[in-house]
Amino acid sequence: MERKGVVTLKGEPLTLEGPEMRVGDKAPDFQALSQDMELKSLKDFKGKIKLIASVPSLDTPYVIPR
């Protein structure tokens, strides 16, 4: 499922893939890089409380919009 124009990056619309998540929805399994640069899956933490935070790379330059 593609959702076009839901968000923008530098004023340009982006396409998101997958269904929109709502408060209370169960998160589907996904993969992401850990702080140790290891590929982790949500199912790797089954039965544990999870706090998921995502931040851009610290070496990515930030441009102040005008």
Side-chain angles (χ1 to χ4, degrees):
M1 166 192 280
E2 288 187 349
R3 296 180 289 130
K4 297 182 179 191
V6 176
V7 296
T8 61
L9 176 64
K10 295 185 180 181
E12 295 296 318
L14 296 176
T15 299
L16 301 180
E17 292 191 21
E20 179 180 356
M21 300 295 297
R22 300 194 188 283
V23 173
D25 286 352
K26 189 170 185 173
D29 192 36
F30 63 90
Q31 292 183 327
L33 288 176
S34 71
Q35 63 188 15
D36 299 326
M37 300 303 286
E38 294 180 19
L39 195 58
K40 296 287 185 177
S41 175
L42 189 59
K43 65 183 177 185
D44 293 336
F45 304 97
K46 187 174 181 173
K48 297 180 181 178
I49 295 173
K50 295 159 270 306
L51 174 64
I52 301 169
S54 175
V55 295
S57 174
L58 296 178
D59 62 356
T60 301
Y62 178 76
V63 178
I64 299 173
R66 296 182 190 239

